[in-house]
Amino acid sequence: MKLLRTLSLPRLLVLVAVVAAIAVGGTALAVAARGGGPTPPAKPLAQAIHDSLAAPEAAGITARIKFTNKLFPSGALEGRVGSALMSGADGRLWLTNDGRGRLELQSSAGDVQIVWNKQRVTLYDASSNTVYSRDLPALAHKADQAQEPKSTGPSLADIRDFLARIGKRADVSGARPTNIAGREAYSVSLSPKHDGGLLGSLQLAWDAAHGVPLRVAIYARGASSPVLALEATDISYGPVPSANVDISPPADAKKSSIGQAAPTQKEHGQKERRHDLRVDTLSSVQAQAGFKLVAPDALVGLPRKAVQLVGGHDSKTVLLVYGQGLGAIVVAESTGDSSANQGPLSSLPKVSLDGATGHELSTQLGTVLSWRRNGVAYVLAGSLPSAAAEAAARSLK
């Protein structure tokens, strides 16, 4: 969409955050003012979004932030030492208007540095002295960018139409005047109308004068405090020195790639290739899978909605989806090397699954289980409590 490509990063962050919040649905939940400072005038949500996106663009952003992470209940990781990403921390943020940024989380276990530009994002975790990196999708050709007209943001009518269409499947609170980090701000709160799994609500607040997100928080169902939150506690606008965003991890850090982003355009002289084998019926999947599927019509009361075979000829995996929306359960079955005793889930707490030993990652927003039975490796994931996930896993035999 041309409109999204021409919005500046700070303004696009507001729009994307609102879209993401509304996408999960919502019933109105009030967000209390974060302080005793001045608040902006009351406005309808569409007007508040429009005026914030149309605000003058800042030359850069410098902020102190607080990151909250209560995703993992006590014992979920069996006492393993986590980094600032796992335990939450205070930190700082720098953001330029040319696509560069740096987020620093400070912790006694070691700082975490996330640095990005238009080509690459890098995460350095001092607690393990490991740097993770990923290339970002290539931008469109400069000649194409030059032909894109400047945009002042969506019109009020466009925003109203967008909210009206979203309102058919979600309840969204109005724009609530508040004050965050000493800035006049608006907040909006949402929670799933149905099929929301363990998600309770998502709350977003943004600077009324600059259109910059000041707080994003995710609440588990029935919780009064956020599971995950990122909030500015102090913020200023102005040019950001390159030295604040252009930093490198230590030379002796262990390196780990998080995969490579897919290119946005085909390379010259090459044809686009697809490795996925897409099929629509259980019988056709079974014929190509090469192993006996366990695919009941329903799983813990949820009907089977989709089945798909993915991967290459030497590494086939069957994906099954039960239910819909955020309350769906996804099951992956394969005969590859990944199993309950190998791979990234193998160090997680063990659970007994009627003769099979599984490994479980339990969080306040969902559960992931892995196990192996009769030569088939299973991974089950869903926004459901661990007891329900284990019951679903036990029925897959």
Side-chain angles (χ1 to χ4, degrees), residues 94-163:
W94 296 268
L95 184 67
T96 70
N97 59 3
D98 63 357
R100 293 176 296 154
R102 173 184 163 206
L103 176 64
E104 177 187 80
L105 299 176
Q106 302 161 341
S107 167
S108 58
D111 292 357
V112 169
Q113 300 279 352
I114 305 174
V115 180
W116 66 92
N117 54 38
K118 292 180 179 179
Q119 292 78 39
R120 192 171 182 83
V121 60
T122 300
L123 185 154
Y124 172 67
D125 187 350
S127 67
S128 61
N129 194 32
T130 303
V131 56
Y132 305 88
S133 61
R134 179 178 173 86
D135 290 336
L136 299 176
L139 298 176
H141 193 273
K142 291 183 178 180
D144 297 331
Q145 292 180 339
Q147 297 173 4
E148 293 283 1
K150 295 285 186 178
S151 173
T152 58
S155 68
L156 183 58
D158 289 338
I159 296 174
R160 285 173 175 163
D161 179 66
F162 169 76
L163 293 175

Side-chain angles (χ1 to χ4, degrees), residues 332-348 357-359 369-373 375-379:
E333 301 182 22
S334 70
T335 56
D337 293 335
S338 177
S339 72
N341 298 317
Q342 301 176 10
L345 300 179
S346 62
S347 62
L348 295 172
T357 298
H359 294 267
L369 272 169
S370 70
W371 72 100
R372 193 175 185 92
R373 192 191 299 275
V376 177
Y378 296 84
V379 176

Side-chain angles (χ1 to χ4, degrees), residues 20-22 24-31 171 173 188-193 196-204 215-229 326 365:
I22 293 175
V24 301
T27 54
L29 294 172
V31 178
D171 297 320
S173 76
V188 62
S189 303
L190 313 99
S191 63
K193 180 179 286 186
L198 296 181
L199 178 64
S201 66
L202 188 149
Q203 301 179 354
L204 166 73
R215 183 175 189 260
V216 179
I218 299 175
Y219 290 73
R221 189 173 60 201
S224 59
S225 58
V227 173
L228 295 168
L326 296 176
L365 295 178

Side-chain angles (χ1 to χ4, degrees), residues 377-389:
Y378 296 84
V379 176
L380 182 150
S383 182
L384 69 169
S386 59

